């Protein structure tokens, strides 16, 4: 009969809390990993935030009525794949990451700052670490799984105790048995393995777990012999199996849930045997009871969720509400909140129920790594959960000893940390990671000035608010569809990473096609619209295209590099391609391996530089069609090259980890050499800040994208500043605008374009609004400055290549006085379409400078010369408040609010400062900071006093009107005076009341712009006045009746 015994958890019910109990205002992220994305100790909750490598930390329990504050800890340079709290030390957190490392963190108690660095670092591994778990009985032992390898670490020595035999495929799950003697793993090869790591590195047992290789997990029950696995069967149905290690050939029992692509997160409480099954991306949580003695997986209850589940975790049993019969608490991680779901067993009496809460494992470890590895199987002492008998021992692990307590950085009063943006700093003090909005400078502050002048008024504002860019509110907008070129077909999206993928000038765009023969389509920008379905006329190179570039001084000449190590020069007819071209104008030969990239000289006609797999850079004279200079010194692949603005030097970034600067006419060897990006995935280089600095976009050693700023005069000293951005596979392609000092950065396959203003002095990088597109772009290039619409304050015009279309993107700056030429945004620009020198003169040693051109349209006055606007004189607030009635104040205030909300064309407040003379800035700042609060405070206090006086006067008036009139006022909600004001009636005349009522009811009809609300006010006022007439008539009749004796 034991098979049919009744479970004490049969009436367990899930109780989702009210929204007030949610931990809201978070931004959670779900990286594609085997982890649960959230973990809890008896004190804290840690979860994956929406920023790669950053965790959110929040207290488990709220302190009184105060809102729980969420802080952010920058842990890794890549995605956090798994995390785990120590079972003994509530403040010790271990994190695993795609950057192939494991870190241990000592989290602070409430009121202290988060750590700026880890307490311990383990690794790096050969692959990203997927699984991480502390040992259940010994302090200082960690289990990690990375790729096909599983290691048991002695964290005190930062060395692995053992590495298990390599699995047949990716390890998806790993877990310790409850006594810490055995270790189980699930693998993509569908095998479930049991290890005794102290006995041998080979698996003691293995069996086929699930027939499908997708997302296998496992958890151990409260005994050493039994465990539960989750996975998919051959029909892609989710299933759960209960195993006995003594009978490992087959599962004791199995359970099939449903058909779904979502992987299950199994959470098992060993004391109660309750098993939670939560599916990522779903809105339902299952609860089962795992009973190995029967054996059975019995359903207990289900819980429907209000939001989609992104991760789940169990709260430790020692933190449950015991007297409330809370047997389980699940933390559901959603996109914007953490929802605690409590599971309760209803009981009639409020007392400690020993059958529901047996003794549980305490928080003092049973052994250390040395004793456990020597064979100790001592178990953690169990403690009672009875509130009267519960001991409160505390344990602090020696892995990451607590630091001296330091007070957290003060924050503005009333601003919870949970409402702060993680991009404004991960923790306080800031983490060792670099945030895009808080760039870290690695070098000393320079004293040179920016290419864009910083006025004294702006510097005074920066001293108060910190440095900011005048382009911080830049807006990127895709232009109207009429300017798009659509119906593109057969694009070649596999061009080398050293190429931008396509190129363009003011007239046309060249796009490589996927068809054989290295064909290049030439699209006319002056002829937008839908391309025909038939094949386009193309340039046929005969070999695959590696890079291509338009001649800046001849808009009809296109240079195309091919895999055959040749450069073909094509001459496109002025009217565009009418038929396919098969013969180039010229062919340049000399390289022995395929070519990486092509760069035309910015000032000299007929000079082209090319880099190749033969590790050389060759400079060609296109007029004679021959190689004139050859640069050497590279030891590996050349990622990128760039001419200096004056055309005298050439910079390169190489896979060998070095940056080089050449003077091509002086020597074939580099003039300077310095350290480049640590990562070897790709890089780009561009000259910035009038040629005094070099900007390099690349990767760090952990594959995170970053920007490095080098001084061109001291390349060997390393970067002056480094800015970490994000984690993405594609190299950032920089497009620099020398007129504004802005750089636009995006990668192939990205949806976001970063904008930064570059300064030759600290803080070097000023972040501006980025541009985000709904779908990934295949390429992104900057057009010449002359293509910008200056009248709309458009400072950059770009082209965005999509899968089937080409669309222009305009970057504009919001300004108030757009009728004036914004000369602070548009300085004189270089004439980039006219050469300053011939190739012969430049090769002979001559140097030139470009001619400058004003972008000021005819008839526009520069904003610097615009007449100053006289500030509008406003009456004092006291006069305004005294002259207006209470009703007028309310109506005017409401009208102003509605008008303000409805007018989307209102300028930004900060834009009102543009064009203001320098001597006005101090006055504006003083008015804002010193007088603002006083004026508003006095006006508000005076209005409050007048409103109180008016309310008292109205109350007195209602009291003098007699008992019947007061009762009528209370019943209708309107006083007699208010009703007279609404109908504009001075004397109570039935004719005047009816006349005004009909007029006001008609003019406030909804069909003519009125509203039902205003009409209801008119009706209620008429009813109130009619009731007052009836009361007066009754009083007149009572006065006319003779008194009775």
């Amino acid at each position: 009969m034991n098979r049919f015994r009744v479970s004490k958890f049969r009436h367990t019910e899930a109780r989702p809390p009210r929204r007030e109990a949610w931990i809201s205002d978070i931004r959670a992220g779900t990286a594609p990993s085997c982890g649960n994305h959230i973990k809890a100790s008896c004190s804290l909750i840690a979860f994956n935030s929406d920023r790669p490598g950053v965790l959110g930390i929040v207290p488990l329990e709220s302190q009184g009525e105060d809102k729980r504050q969420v802080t952010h800890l920058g842990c890794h340079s890549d995605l956090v794949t798994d995390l785990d709290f120590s079972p003994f030390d509530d403040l010790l957190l271990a994190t695993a990451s795609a950057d192939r490392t494991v870190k241990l963190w000592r989290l602070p108690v409430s009121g202290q700052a988060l750590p700026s660095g880890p307490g311990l670092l383990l690794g790096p591994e050969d692959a990203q670490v997927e699984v991480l778990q502390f040992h259940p009985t010994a302090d200082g032992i960690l289990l990690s799984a990375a790729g096909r390898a599983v290691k048991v670490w002695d964290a005190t020595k930062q060395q692995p105790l053992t590495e298990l035999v390599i699995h047949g495929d990716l390890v998806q799950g790993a877990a310790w048995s409850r006594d810490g003697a055995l270790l189980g793993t699930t693998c993509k090869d569908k095998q479930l393995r049991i290890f005794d790591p102290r006995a041998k590195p080979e698996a003691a047992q293995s069996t086929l777990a699930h027939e499908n290789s997708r997302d296998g997990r496992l958890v151990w029950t409260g005994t050493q012999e039994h465990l539960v696995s989750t996975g998919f069967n051959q029909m892609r149905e989710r299933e759960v199996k209960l195993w006995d290690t003594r009978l490992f050939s087959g599962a004791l029992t199995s359970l099939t849930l449903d058909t779904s692509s979502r992987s299950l997160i199994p959470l098992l409480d060993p004391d109660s045997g309750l098993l939670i099954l939560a599916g990522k991306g779903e809105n339902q949580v299952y609860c089962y009871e795992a009973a190995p003695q029967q054996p059975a997986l019995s359903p207990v209850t289900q819980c429907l969720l209000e939001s989609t589940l992104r991760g789940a975790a169990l709260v430790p049993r020692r933190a449950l509400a015991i007297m409330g019969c809370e047997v389980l608490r699940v933390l559901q991680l959603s996109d914007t909140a953490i929802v605690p779901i409590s599971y309760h067993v209803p009981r009639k009496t409020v007392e400690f129920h020993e059958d529901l809460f047996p003794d549980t494992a305490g928080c003092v470890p049973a052994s250390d790594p040395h004793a456990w590895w020597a064979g100790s199987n001592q178990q953690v002492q169990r403690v009672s959960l009875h509130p009267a008998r519960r001991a409160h021992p505390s344990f602090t692990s020696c892995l990451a000893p607590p630091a001296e307590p330091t007070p957290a950085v003060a924050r503005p009063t009333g601003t919870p940390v949970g409402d702060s943006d993680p991009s404004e700093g991960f923790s306080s003090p800031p983490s060792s990671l670099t945030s895009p909005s808080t760039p870290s400078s690695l070098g000393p502050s320079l004293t040179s000035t920016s290419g864009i002048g910083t006025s004294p008024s702006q510097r005074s504002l920066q001293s108060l608010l910190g440095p900011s860019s005048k382009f911080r509110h830049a807006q990127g907008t895709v232009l109207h569809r009429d300017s798009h070129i659509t119906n593109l077909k057969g694009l070649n999206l596999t061009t080398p990473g050293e190429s931008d993928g396509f190129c363009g000038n003011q007239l046309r765009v060249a796009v490589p096609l996927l068809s054989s023969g290295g064909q290049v389509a030439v699209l006319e920008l002056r002829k937008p619209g839908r391309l025909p379905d038939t094949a386009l006329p193309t340039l046929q190179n005969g070999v695959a295209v590696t890079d291509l570039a338009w001649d800046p001084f001849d808009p009809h000449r296109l240079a195309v590099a091919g895999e055959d190590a040749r450069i073909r020069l094509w001459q496109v007819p002025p009217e565009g391609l009418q038929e396919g071209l098969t013969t180039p104008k010229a062919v340049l030969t000399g390289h022995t391996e395929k070519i990486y990239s092509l760069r035309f000289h910015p000032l000299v006609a007929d000079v082209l530089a090319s880099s190749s797999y033969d590790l050389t850079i060759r400079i060609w004279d296109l007029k004679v069609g021959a190689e004139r200079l050859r640069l050497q010194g590279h030891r590996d692949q050349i990622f990128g090259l760039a001419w200096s603005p004056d055309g005298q030097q050439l910079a390169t970034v190489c896979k060998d980890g070095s940056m080089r600067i050449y003077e091509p006419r002086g020597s074939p060897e580099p003039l300077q050499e310095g350290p480049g990006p640590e990562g070897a995935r790709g890089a780009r280089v561009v000259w910035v800040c009038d040629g005094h600095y070099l900007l390099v976009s690349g990767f760090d050693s952990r594959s995170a994208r970053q920007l490095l700023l080098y001084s061109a005069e001291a390349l060997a000293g390393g970067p002056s500043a480094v800015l970490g951005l994000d984690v993405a596979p594609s190299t950032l392609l920089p497009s620099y605008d020398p007129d504004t000092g802005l750089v636009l950065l995006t990668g192939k396959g990205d949806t976001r374009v970063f904008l930064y203003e570059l300064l030759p002095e600290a803080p070097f990088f000023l972040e501006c609004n980025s541009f985000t597109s709904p779908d990934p772009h295949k390429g992104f290039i900057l057009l010449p400055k002359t293509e910008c619409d200056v009248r709309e304050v458009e400072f950059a015009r770009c082209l965005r290549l999509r899968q089937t279309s080409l669309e222009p993107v305009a970057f504009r700056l919001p300004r108030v006085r757009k009728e004036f030429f914004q000369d602070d945004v548009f300085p004189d620009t270089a004439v980039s379409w006219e050469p300053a020198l011939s190739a012969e003169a430049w090769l002979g040693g001559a140097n030139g400078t470009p001619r400058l051109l004003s972008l000021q349209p005819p008839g526009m006055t520069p904003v610097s010369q615009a007449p100053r606007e006289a500030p509008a004189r406003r009456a004092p607030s006291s006069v305004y408040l005294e002259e207006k009635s209470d009703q007028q104040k309310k109506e005017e205030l409401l009208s102003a609010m509605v008008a303000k909300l409805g007018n989307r064309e209102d300028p930004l407040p900060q834009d009102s400062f543009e064009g203001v003379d320098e001597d006005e800035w101090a006055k504006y700042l003083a008015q804002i900071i010193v007088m603002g609060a006083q004026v508003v405070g006095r006006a508000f206090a005076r209005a409050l006093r007048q409103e109180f006086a008016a309310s008292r006067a109205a109350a007195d008036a209602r009291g003098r009107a007699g008992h019947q009139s007061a009762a009528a006022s209370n019943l209708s909600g309107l006083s007699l005076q208010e009703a007279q004001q609404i109908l504009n009636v001075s004397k109570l005349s039935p004719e005047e009341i009816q006349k005004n009522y009909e007029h006001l009811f008609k003019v406030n009809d909804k069909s003519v712009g009125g509203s039902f609300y205003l009409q209801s006010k008119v009706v209620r006022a008429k009813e109130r006045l009619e009731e007052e007439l009836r009361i007066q008539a009754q009083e007149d009749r009572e006065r006319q009746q003779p008194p009775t004796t």
Side-chain angles (χ1 to χ4, degrees):
M1 296 298 290
N2 183 53
R3 178 181 178 89
F4 302 102
R5 72 176 180 87
V6 177
S7 171
K8 57 189 172 186
F9 299 107
R10 65 189 182 279
H11 297 305
T12 300
E13 58 183 19
R15 299 179 182 176
R18 295 183 177 181
R19 286 184 174 267
E20 292 79 8
W22 292 14
I23 304 174
S24 55
D25 298 330
I26 69 169
R27 291 184 292 181
T30 54
S33 68
C34 301
N36 295 353
H37 306 304
I38 181 173
K39 285 292 176 68
S41 69
C42 292
S43 303
L44 298 172
I45 302 172
F47 62 91
N48 285 78
S49 73
D50 60 344
R51 293 184 61 84
V54 181
L55 292 181
I57 308 295
V58 63
L60 178 64
E61 302 293 345
S62 59
Q63 304 295 327
E65 298 182 357
D66 295 337
K67 179 180 178 181
R68 276 179 277 194
Q69 297 182 344
V70 180
T71 54
H72 291 85
L73 175 67
C75 300
H76 295 269
S77 62
D78 208 333
L79 303 172
V80 176
T81 53
D82 201 6
L83 62 155
D84 193 25
F85 277 102
S86 168
F88 314 113
D89 190 338
D90 291 341
L91 304 179
L92 183 62
L93 175 68
T95 59
S97 172
D99 65 9
R100 302 177 296 167
T101 62
V102 175
K103 296 180 180 180
L104 273 69
W105 304 84
R106 166 66 57 184
L107 300 181
V109 296
S110 179
Q112 294 185 6
L114 287 174
S116 58
L120 281 179
L121 174 65
L122 306 179
E125 298 293 284
D126 295 331
Q128 74 176 29
V129 184
E130 289 285 353
V131 182
L132 184 67
Q133 189 181 24
F134 277 100
H135 195 276
T137 65
D139 179 47
I141 295 181
L142 274 170
L143 164 70
S144 69
R148 301 184 179 188
V150 177
K151 291 182 179 181
V152 177
W153 293 86
D154 181 354
T156 59
K157 299 180 179 179
Q158 296 180 255
Q159 294 179 353
L161 290 171
T162 182
E163 180 174 352
L164 305 183
V165 172
I166 296 297
H167 289 62
D169 209 327
L170 176 69
V171 178
Q172 297 172 330
W176 291 104
S177 62
R178 296 301 170 183
D179 61 357
L182 300 179
L183 188 156
T185 65
T186 57
C187 183
K188 200 172 183 181
D189 62 6
K190 309 176 187 177
Q191 292 292 311
L192 175 62
R193 295 176 173 87
I194 304 298
F195 293 85
D196 185 349
R198 293 177 293 183
K200 57 181 181 179
E202 293 81 13
Q205 299 183 75
S206 66
T207 187
L208 177 65
H210 301 274
E211 296 177 347
N212 198 304
S213 62
R214 293 194 54 199
D215 295 334
R217 305 284 188 92
L218 81 157
V219 288
W220 291 79
T221 65
T223 65
Q224 179 184 357
E225 296 83 12
H226 299 93
L227 67 153
V228 174
S229 68
T230 62
F232 294 79
N233 62 18
Q234 204 168 14
M235 303 301 295
R236 298 183 180 180
E237 295 174 320
R238 297 189 296 186
E239 59 182 7
V240 186
K241 293 185 177 182
L242 178 64
W243 302 86
D244 189 336
T245 57
R246 298 165 297 185
L247 303 170
F248 211 51
S249 57
L252 295 178
T253 184
S254 63
L255 172 70
T256 301
L257 289 180
D258 52 17
T259 301
S260 174
S261 61
R262 310 288 187 179
S263 60
L264 287 173
I265 300 176
L267 306 171
L268 193 143
D269 176 31
D271 293 337
S272 64
L274 293 179
L275 173 66
I276 295 295
L277 298 174
K280 291 183 180 180
E282 296 186 345
N283 295 80
Q284 190 170 6
V285 173
Y286 302 91
C287 181
Y288 286 82
E289 182 180 5
Q293 294 79 13
Q294 298 185 16
L297 292 170
S298 306
V300 176
T301 185
Q302 297 181 14
C303 179
L304 296 178
L305 309 176
E306 292 188 35
S307 55
T308 302
L309 185 141
R310 302 300 181 191
L314 286 182
V315 172
R317 201 163 178 82
R318 290 180 281 115
L320 299 179
I322 303 300
M323 301 306 292
C325 292
E326 183 187 24
V327 295
L328 207 65
R329 190 188 307 170
V330 178
L331 298 177
Q332 176 214 348
L333 178 66
S334 67
D335 292 325
T336 58
I338 297 174
V339 184
I341 304 171
S342 295
Y343 288 80
H344 292 258
V345 177
R347 293 290 172 95
K348 293 181 179 180
T349 58
V350 180
E351 60 183 18
F352 178 73
H353 297 276
E354 194 168 356
D355 60 327
L356 298 180
F357 302 102
D359 291 351
T360 189
C363 61
V364 178
S367 59
D368 56 20
H370 177 75
W372 178 83
W373 186 248
S376 173
N377 286 322
Q378 188 175 355
Q379 298 300 300
V380 176
Q381 183 178 0
R382 304 183 75 83
V383 296
S384 173
L385 294 177
H386 196 294
R389 299 195 299 267
R390 184 186 300 185
H392 297 279
S394 61
F395 175 80
T396 302
S397 175
C398 62
L399 296 180
E404 292 296 327
T406 56
V409 175
R411 294 180 178 269
T413 304
T415 305
V417 182
D419 295 338
S420 64
D421 191 345
S423 66
E424 297 177 5
F426 299 144
S427 60
S428 183
S431 166
S432 58
L433 293 179
T434 307
S435 170
S437 57
T438 57
S440 63
S441 173
L442 302 184
S445 178
L446 304 182
T447 57
S448 55
T449 58
S450 169
I452 298 177
T454 305
S455 65
S457 56
Q458 290 172 325
R459 286 195 294 269
S460 64
L461 184 61
Q462 290 174 4
S463 65
L464 293 174
L465 307 178
S468 61
S469 171
K470 71 167 71 175
F471 299 96
R472 62 190 178 277
H473 298 295
Q475 300 172 355
T477 306
V478 177
L479 298 185
H480 193 270
R481 187 175 175 83
D482 292 344
S483 59
H484 298 188
I485 298 177
T486 60
N487 199 33
L488 284 175
K489 296 181 179 180
L491 297 182
N492 182 8
L493 305 178
T494 59
T495 53
E498 293 76 24
S499 171
D500 292 346
F502 76 114
C503 64
N505 58 22
Q506 63 270 27
L507 298 180
R508 48 182 65 95
V509 171
V511 184
L513 300 181
L514 192 59
S515 54
S516 61
Q519 299 186 42
V520 176
V522 179
L523 310 176
E524 300 292 325
L525 293 178
R526 301 296 187 265
K527 299 178 182 179
R530 179 182 173 87
L531 296 176
D533 294 328
T534 57
L536 297 173
T538 59
L539 306 176
Q540 300 184 18
N541 290 274
V543 294
V545 175
T546 57
D547 198 15
L548 64 171
W550 288 104
D551 189 336
F553 311 117
D554 184 354
H556 309 298
R557 181 160 65 176
L558 178 69
V560 180
E563 288 189 348
D564 60 353
R566 297 184 178 183
I567 302 173
R568 292 166 175 82
L569 301 177
W570 298 89
Q571 196 71 25
V572 179
E575 66 276 5
L577 280 183
Q578 305 299 324
E579 58 183 4
L581 298 182
T582 58
T583 304
K585 191 77 173 178
V587 178
L588 307 178
T589 59
H591 283 294
T592 58
E593 299 286 346
K594 76 175 183 179
I595 298 170
Y596 296 129
S597 51
L598 302 175
R599 295 292 184 271
F600 275 97
H601 197 286
L603 300 179
V604 180
D606 300 319
V607 172
L608 175 69
S610 62
S611 62
S612 166
Y613 272 87
D614 60 16
L615 307 185
T616 65
I617 295 176
R618 309 196 183 204
I619 298 177
W620 308 83
D621 184 349
L622 303 186
K623 191 171 184 179
V624 298
E627 172 191 334
R628 302 299 296 269
L629 299 171
R630 183 182 303 182
L631 307 180
Q632 302 172 348
H634 297 89
R635 296 183 293 274
D636 208 331
Q637 179 182 352
I638 304 170
F639 283 144
L641 70 157
W643 289 99
S644 62
D646 58 8
Q648 300 180 30
Q649 295 180 332
L650 190 71
T652 65
V653 57
C654 184
K655 192 176 182 179
D656 61 10
S658 296
M659 291 278 301
R660 294 175 178 87
I661 293 179
Y662 291 85
E663 283 190 355
R665 296 172 296 180
S667 171
E669 299 298 327
L671 177 67
Q672 292 188 66
E673 191 168 346
E678 296 178 357
R681 299 182 59 178
R684 290 297 184 91
V685 61
V686 63
W687 295 77
V688 298
C689 300
D690 295 328
H692 298 297
Y693 279 81
L694 286 167
L695 177 70
V696 178
S697 64
F699 297 85
D700 63 12
S701 59
R702 295 165 182 171
S703 299
R705 298 198 291 192
Q706 61 177 189
L707 301 179
L708 303 95
L709 193 64
Y710 294 82
S711 172
E713 302 296 329
L715 199 61
S720 300
V722 178
L723 177 66
L725 291 181
D726 57 4
V727 177
S730 59
T731 305
L732 286 170
L733 310 178
S735 299
Y736 181 69
D737 178 17
D739 295 342
T740 59
L742 290 175
V743 62
L744 295 85
L745 301 127
T746 189
K748 298 177 185 177
D750 287 3
T751 58
R752 182 180 181 185
V753 180
F754 297 94
L755 268 75
Y756 287 93
E757 182 180 355
L758 303 179
L759 305 176
E761 56 188 5
F764 298 104
F765 298 96
L766 298 180
E767 187 177 13
C768 306
N769 273 350
S770 59
F771 167 75
T772 304
S773 55
D775 58 332
H777 39 251
K778 313 304 177 183
F780 202 90
I781 61 172
L782 182 66
L783 291 179
K785 198 76 170 184
T786 52
E787 299 304 302
C788 297
D789 187 354
V790 176
R791 295 182 181 272
E792 293 297 326
V793 201
E794 178 184 332
F795 59 86
R797 175 75 63 91
C798 301
L799 290 178
R800 175 174 177 261
L801 181 64
R802 301 173 61 201
Q803 183 81 34
T804 59
S805 65
L806 181 73
E807 56 189 28
V809 180
F811 289 87
R812 296 169 178 168
L813 194 62
R815 287 291 175 95
V816 176
R817 309 176 73 182
K818 292 170 63 174
E819 66 274 14
F820 296 100
F821 173 65
Q822 309 294 323
D823 51 351
D824 61 325
V825 177
F826 300 104
D828 293 348
T829 188
V831 179
S832 59
W833 57 92
E834 293 181 0
L837 290 170
S838 65
E840 182 180 0
W842 182 77
L843 291 169
N847 295 315
T849 56
R851 183 171 63 90
L852 298 181
L853 174 71
S854 174
L855 295 175
Q856 180 179 346
M860 289 191 75
T861 303
V863 71
S864 60
Q865 302 176 11
R868 290 174 53 186
E869 292 182 337
R873 287 285 189 182
R874 295 187 177 181
S877 56
S878 58
V879 176
Y880 172 81
L881 293 173
E882 292 172 0
E883 292 179 351
K884 303 292 183 180
S885 66
D886 295 336
Q887 187 65 22
Q888 288 175 324
K889 297 173 194 173
K890 295 178 183 178
E891 292 177 356
E892 291 185 5
L893 180 60
L894 181 61
S895 300
M897 292 171 63
V898 172
K900 189 66 177 177
L901 291 174
N903 187 6
R904 298 186 178 182
E905 298 299 325
D906 281 353
L908 297 172
Q910 63 273 12
D911 294 332
S912 62
F913 293 105
E914 300 296 347
V916 178
D917 289 347
E918 303 296 338
D919 56 356
E920 293 291 319
W921 278 84
K923 182 179 70 176
Y924 280 129
L925 291 175
Q927 290 175 346
I928 293 172
I929 297 173
V930 179
M931 300 298 296
Q934 298 179 2
V935 172
V936 173
R938 292 169 182 169
F940 178 77
R942 189 177 292 109
L944 191 62
R945 290 195 297 268
Q946 292 187 1
E947 182 68 23
F948 180 75
S951 300
R952 174 172 292 182
D956 295 341
R958 284 195 297 268
R960 291 191 300 269
H963 294 293
Q964 291 185 344
S965 181
S969 297
N970 291 332
L971 184 62
S972 63
L974 287 177
S975 67
L976 177 60
Q977 290 80 5
E978 290 172 340
Q980 287 179 303
Q981 290 178 358
I982 291 174
L983 289 186
N984 195 21
V985 174
S986 57
K987 295 182 179 181
L988 296 183
S989 168
E991 294 79 9
E992 187 176 1
I993 293 174
Q994 184 64 26
K995 177 182 177 182
N996 290 0
Y997 163 74
E998 293 176 352
H999 171 72
L1000 292 173
F1001 191 86
K1002 181 178 180 181
V1003 299
N1004 286 289
D1005 190 83
K1006 190 175 182 180
S1007 60
V1008 295
S1011 67
F1012 292 131
Y1013 172 76
L1014 295 177
Q1015 286 183 324
S1016 68
K1017 281 285 189 180
V1018 173
V1019 172
R1020 289 172 58 197
K1022 176 176 178 290
E1023 293 175 348
R1024 176 66 184 88
L1025 295 181
E1026 289 176 344
E1027 180 66 19
E1028 189 67 24
L1029 288 175
R1030 187 190 65 78
I1031 293 172
Q1032 290 183 1
Q1034 182 179 356
E1035 291 178 350
D1036 292 342
R1037 287 195 299 270
E1038 291 176 353
R1039 284 195 298 268
Q1040 293 174 1
Q1041 290 179 359
T1044 58
T1045 56

